[in-house]
Amino acid sequence: MVQITLPDGSRREFPGPVTVAEVAQSIGAGLARAALGGKVAFDGEQPRLVDTSFRIERDARLGIVTPKDPDGLELIRHSTAHLLAYAVKSLFPEAQVTIGPVIDNGFYYDFSYKRPFTPEDLEAIEKKMAELARKDEPVTREEWKRDDAVAFFNGIGEKYKAEIIASIPSNETISLYREGDFIDLCRGPHVPSTGKLKVFKLMKVAGAYWRGDSKNEMLQRIYGTAWASKEEQDAYLHMLAEAEKRDHRKLGRELDFFHFQDEAPGLIFWHPKGWQLWQQVEQYMRAVYRDNGYQEVKGPQILDLSLWKKTGHWDNYRENMFTTESENRVYGLKPMNCPGHVQIFNSSLHSYRDLPLRYGEFGQCHRNEPSGSLHGMMRVRGFTQDDGHIFCTEAQMQDECADFTALLQKVYRDFGFEEVLYKVATRPGKRIGDDATWDAAEQALMDSLRRTGCEFEISPGEGAFYGPKIEYTLKDAIGRHWQCGTLQVDFSMPVRLGAEYVDADDQRRPPVMLHRAILGSLERFIGMLMENHAGAMPAWLSPVQAVVCCISDPSAAYAAEITQTLKKQGFRVESDLRGEKITYKIREHSLQKVPYILVVGDKERDAGSVAVRARGGLDLGTLALDDFVARLAQEVAQRRDIGRPEQVS
C-alpha cells in the first residue's frame, strides 16, 4: 500500500505505486483536468516539483499543482520556452537550440541561426506556437544514457545540446522531454501536454554569447512572457507600456535632468534641473539625520588595501572594486562607507554613556559593475548612499532597529510610497561568527519588526557573511517592487577593526554595529521617484515649482516682479517673458511637468493677481498672489499635491 498525505492533512491509500495524475483523478475530475504537476515530499526530504506522470512508490506528502499556484506558473513558463524552441525548429529547421530557462515574468530561449530573426519572424513563431498548443500534444519524459544522448544530438546537428550533455558526468542519467516531433534536454518538470499553454507572447530578440563568454559565438535570444490567464498577461503588458512611458532615461532627456555618455560608462552627468532635484532629496535626508540624532561625517574616497583585507571585503568583493596605486601602495576606491565610519569611531575612546552613537554620510562609492549590467541610474558604477552606522550595546540593539524601521516608514510616506514589504535575510552557509551570535541578531531584527506592526517574510540564507539584515522593498504607482532600504546587524566588523567602548564595569567591549540605509543609492532612488511620478515631481521636490508667463510685452515687467517676489520667499520659480503666444508657453511648460503655471496680463497686473494653472490641465482661476503663495507653501510643507487629480501629463 502507498499512503498519500494531502495538504489539508487528509490521506488516501492506493494498492501500489501511483502517479500524480492518478491521485488528482481520485480527488476529482476537475482537479485532474487542471493539474500541471505535483509537489511531492518523502520523509526527511524537502518538497520537489514533479510531472503529473511521476510515479510515487512509497508513502509521501503531495500537493497537486494547478495554474493558480506560483509553481504552476513556473511550469507554464518553462514549458512555453520549450514550445518556443519547438516552433522555431518547425519553421527554421537549420536553427540550433541551446538553453531556455524561466526568468521573472517569462522565459527566453537562445538559438544559433544563419541570419538575425526579424519582427516578422517573431510573429510567425508566435503563430506557430499557438498552432502547436492547440494540437494538445502530450509532453513526455524519457531517460537516456549520457553517451547515447550525446550521439543522438550530434546526429541531428544539435552541437550545442551535445556539448551541454557531454559536460555532464557519464554516470548520470539524462532526461529528455518529447512533444510531437521535438525532443529537448531538460531536467523538467513540464506540463502534461501543450494544450495547457494558452496565454503567451513573444517580446523581443537580443544578443547573448554562448555560455556567457564573449569569446564564444553570439546567439539570438528570444524573450517571451507566459501567464495562467489572459487578464494577468494584459495587466502585465499594460504595466510594461506604463513603464516605458515612465522610463527615467527617457524622462531625464525630456526634462533636461541628466545624461550619460560613453566616456564615463555607468556615471552620470547632472544638469542644473536634475541637480536641483538631487539637492532637494539630499537636504531632506540631511534634516532627517539632524532630527534623529545622527552626526554627519565624511570619510575618504580611497583607503589602503590592508584595511579592505581586514574587513573581509577584499576576499569577498574584490572583483567589484576599483584600485589605484601611488608610491608603491595599493588603495581601494571605496565600494561602501562602513570601514571609514569605524575609523572615525576608533579615533577616540567611547564610554557606554556615549552610545548609541549614530553616524550618517552621503558617501560617494564606486563599484566595478560589468558593463552589461549597467542600466541608467538603476545600476551605475558611481553612486552616493544615504549611509549610516549605529554603534550601540547589545541591550540597545532592538530599540535602535525598531526606531529605524519607524523612521524609514515616515521617509517613504513623504516621498509618496505607502506600501512597504519586509524581508529578514538570515544566515548564509558561508559566514563568520557563532550560532549564538546569529541567533541574537536574527531575533533582534524580527522582534523589532513585530514591535512596529510589520508583517515580514524570511529569506533563508540570504544574509551578508557578517550578519543578518532586513530588506525594505517599495511598491510603486504601477505595481513594481524596488528593494531600497536595508538594516544589517554586524557583530564582526567592530571586532576585526578593533572598535571598542568602555562598559559600566570599566571593561572594553566591541559595540554592535548596525549598517543602515533608507534610500540606498540616491541615484537609483531618484530614478525610482521619476518613474513613480512619471516625471511629474511633487511641488516640494520639483526643480521648478512655478513658471510665470506674461501674455504680452506690457505685462512682462509684472511677471518679472512676481518671479522675484516668489524667489525671495524661497520658491523655485522661473519667468517666461518671450514674445510667444501664451498657448505655446503653456503647452511647453506643461510638457516640462511644472507644477504651476502662472499667467499674467494687463488684468492680473492691475488687480495684483495671477491666473493659476496646475499640472494636469487644472484651471484654478485667478488668485491673489498671497493666496497662491499660501497654497504653494502648504503643499511644500505637507509634501503632497493639494486638490490635484493624479495624471500622467
Side-chain angles (χ1 to χ4, degrees):
M1 299 289 289
V2 173
Q3 187 178 83
I4 303 297
T5 303
L6 301 174
D8 63 1
S10 64
R11 292 182 173 85
R12 290 178 177 262
E13 290 190 345
F14 298 86
V18 61
T19 66
V20 172
E22 289 167 341
V23 175
Q25 184 66 48
S26 76
I27 298 171
L31 182 61
R33 286 192 297 271
L36 300 179
K39 204 157 189 182
V40 65
F42 299 103
D43 286 344
E45 295 182 4
Q46 291 296 313
R48 60 188 176 106
L49 203 56
V50 298
D51 301 304
T52 57
S53 61
F54 180 80
R55 283 170 59 85
I56 304 171
E57 299 185 346
R58 55 192 172 96
D59 293 354
R61 299 187 306 278
L62 173 67
I64 305 299
V65 175
T66 72
K68 296 179 181 179
D69 303 313
D71 288 320
L73 187 55
E74 177 152 340
L75 281 171
I76 287 171
R77 289 173 174 163
H78 190 184
S79 299
T80 307
H82 280 237
L83 185 67
L84 164 60
Y86 185 6
V88 168
K89 289 295 291 184
S90 299
L91 294 173
F92 308 97
E94 295 179 7
Q96 292 191 62
V97 295
T98 64
I99 58 170
V102 174
I103 56 174
D104 287 346
N105 300 311
F107 58 90
Y108 70 76
Y109 214 115
D110 290 348
F111 300 93
S112 173
Y113 191 51
K114 60 188 177 184
R115 65 164 177 81
F117 289 123
T118 66
E120 292 75 22
D121 291 333
L122 286 195
E123 289 181 18
I125 295 167
E126 188 176 308
K127 183 178 178 181
K128 188 66 174 178
M129 290 170 67
E131 175 190 320
L132 295 171
R134 285 193 297 271
K135 292 172 70 174
D136 197 21
E137 296 178 314
V139 179
T140 57
R141 178 186 173 96
E142 301 176 6
E143 294 188 350
W144 292 41
K145 292 181 179 178
R146 189 201 68 168
D147 292 346
D148 291 344
V150 171
F152 172 77
F153 281 102
N154 273 325
I156 62 173
E158 295 287 356
K159 67 175 185 178
Y160 295 94
K161 285 294 179 188
E163 182 179 325
I164 294 171
I165 299 170
S167 67
I168 298 171
S170 59
N171 60 342
E172 287 194 20
T173 300
I174 304 300
S175 60
L176 307 181
Y177 279 80
R178 187 186 298 274
E179 48 197 278
D181 297 329
F182 180 67
I183 187 167
D184 200 359
L185 168 72
C186 190
R187 290 180 178 174
H190 283 286
V191 299
S193 69
T194 59
K196 302 293 186 183
L197 310 176
K198 294 179 170 63
V199 184
F200 49 80
K201 183 174 181 58
L202 299 185
M203 307 298 292
K204 64 178 181 179
V205 182
Y209 291 110
W210 168 235
R211 293 196 157 177
D213 189 336
S214 60
K215 297 177 182 177
N216 291 336
E217 178 191 351
M218 175 69 77
L219 305 173
Q220 296 187 70
R221 177 169 294 175
I222 298 180
Y223 285 94
T225 190
W227 298 85
S229 70
K230 188 175 185 303
E231 292 75 19
E232 290 174 303
Q233 179 164 286
D234 288 346
Y236 172 68
L237 296 176
H238 174 72
M239 185 273 288
L240 288 184
E242 278 294 308
E244 186 174 353
K245 285 195 295 185
R246 296 165 180 260
D247 190 314
H248 71 280
R249 295 166 298 180
K250 173 174 174 283
L251 291 170
R253 293 190 301 271
E254 293 174 351
L255 302 178
D256 194 26
F257 281 4
F258 54 81
H259 81 274
F260 302 90
Q261 63 187 62
D262 290 342
E263 289 79 2
L267 302 169
I268 302 168
F269 292 83
W270 288 96
H271 300 191
K273 287 183 180 178
W275 193 242
Q276 182 62 254
L277 171 58
W278 171 287
Q279 287 298 316
Q280 299 314 307
V281 173
E282 182 178 321
Q283 293 307 320
Y284 169 87
M285 291 306 301
R286 182 162 276 120
V288 168
Y289 281 171
R290 182 183 63 242
D291 296 342
N292 290 275
Y294 286 84
Q295 302 177 59
E296 191 173 338
V297 298
K298 188 71 173 176
Q301 286 298 107
I302 63 172
L303 294 165
D304 190 278
L305 203 60
S306 60
L307 187 62
W308 298 110
K309 289 180 178 178
K310 285 182 183 177
T311 63
H313 288 97
W314 186 246
D315 290 334
N316 293 278
Y317 207 73
R318 72 174 72 183
E319 68 276 5
N320 292 106
M321 291 180 65
F322 289 101
T323 59
T324 186
E325 296 184 24
S326 176
E327 297 179 339
N328 297 318
R329 294 180 69 180
V330 180
Y331 300 88
L333 191 61
K334 68 174 179 180
M336 51 202 65
N337 303 292
C338 33
H341 289 190
V342 178
Q343 305 314 305
I344 296 171
F345 181 88
N346 287 352
S347 65
S348 60
L349 185 62
H350 299 281
S351 162
Y352 69 96
R353 295 186 180 88
D354 300 327
L355 306 184
L357 188 58
R358 307 182 188 98
Y359 291 150
E361 178 179 1
F362 298 99
Q364 190 172 8
C365 300
H366 288 80
R367 295 179 183 174
N368 190 16
E369 303 284 2
S371 59
S373 70
L374 301 177
H375 178 72
M377 294 201 298
M378 304 306 188
R379 193 75 176 265
V380 291
R381 286 176 171 166
F383 59 95
T384 301
Q385 290 181 316
D386 68 315
D387 207 4
H389 293 89
I390 301 170
F391 297 88
C392 63
T393 67
E394 193 166 340
Q396 295 166 334
M397 175 173 60
Q398 191 177 120
D399 285 343
E400 288 298 313
C401 291
D403 290 347
F404 173 73
T405 294
L407 174 61
L408 172 140
Q409 291 168 335
K410 179 187 181 303
V411 170
Y412 287 167
R413 284 194 299 270
D414 284 348
F415 281 110
F417 296 99
E418 297 291 338
E419 188 170 347
V420 186
L421 306 177
Y422 307 88
K423 289 185 179 180
V424 176
T426 60
R427 67 196 75 183
K430 183 181 178 182
R431 61 183 183 270
I432 55 179
D434 58 43
D435 285 343
T437 300
W438 279 88
D439 288 342
E442 291 171 356
Q443 194 63 45
L445 292 179
M446 294 179 197
D447 288 347
S448 74
L449 288 174
R450 294 186 184 105
R451 281 176 52 181
T452 47
C454 302
E455 295 183 0
F456 58 89
E457 296 179 8
I458 303 293
S459 296
E462 295 297 318
F465 70 91
Y466 52 81
K469 60 182 176 178
I470 301 174
E471 295 177 342
Y472 303 88
T473 299
L474 302 179
K475 186 176 181 180
D476 73 7
I478 58 174
R480 295 173 300 180
H481 292 123
W482 304 90
Q483 197 269 307
C484 292
T486 58
L487 175 63
Q488 302 177 351
V489 177
D490 184 357
F491 286 91
S492 159
M493 192 177 297
V495 174
R496 287 188 166 212
L497 296 184
E500 295 178 327
Y501 71 95
V502 178
D503 69 11
D505 298 321
D506 272 347
Q507 299 297 310
R508 294 198 176 196
R509 297 173 57 86
V512 179
M513 185 176 182
L514 304 180
H515 306 248
R516 44 107 293 170
I518 297 178
L519 307 186
S521 157
L522 266 68
E523 288 79 358
R524 183 170 182 265
F525 190 79
I526 290 172
M528 287 170 46
L529 274 178
M530 292 172 62
E531 295 196 2
N532 185 57
H533 295 288
M537 307 307 296
W540 74 278
L541 284 172
S542 184
V544 179
Q545 295 170 320
V547 173
V548 185
C549 301
C550 62
I551 294 176
S552 59
D553 286 345
S555 55
Y558 179 57
E561 178 187 332
I562 289 175
T563 301
Q564 290 305 311
T565 298
L566 293 172
K567 283 184 175 180
K568 288 178 181 178
Q569 295 187 60
F571 299 113
R572 299 184 293 279
V573 184
E574 295 179 352
S575 57
D576 187 342
L577 309 181
R578 296 174 299 169
E580 302 285 354
K581 291 182 178 180
I582 192 63
T583 53
Y584 177 85
K585 294 181 182 180
I586 290 172
R587 172 170 171 74
E588 188 174 84
H589 297 301
S590 295
L591 290 173
Q592 287 295 299
K593 304 181 187 292
V594 177
Y596 289 102
I597 300 172
L598 310 183
V599 178
V600 297
D602 295 343
K603 181 175 67 173
E604 289 78 17
R605 179 195 60 202
D606 295 342
S609 62
V610 290
V612 182
R613 294 176 64 90
R615 187 168 49 212
L618 187 63
D619 188 349
L620 301 182
T622 301
L623 300 177
L625 183 59
D626 287 347
D627 290 341
F628 171 73
V629 167
R631 177 188 176 94
L632 181 55
Q634 182 185 3
E635 190 169 328
V636 170
Q638 295 182 356
R639 299 190 178 92
R640 65 181 183 89
D641 290 348
I642 299 174
R644 179 179 301 149
E646 292 295 329
Q647 183 170 339
V648 177
S649 55

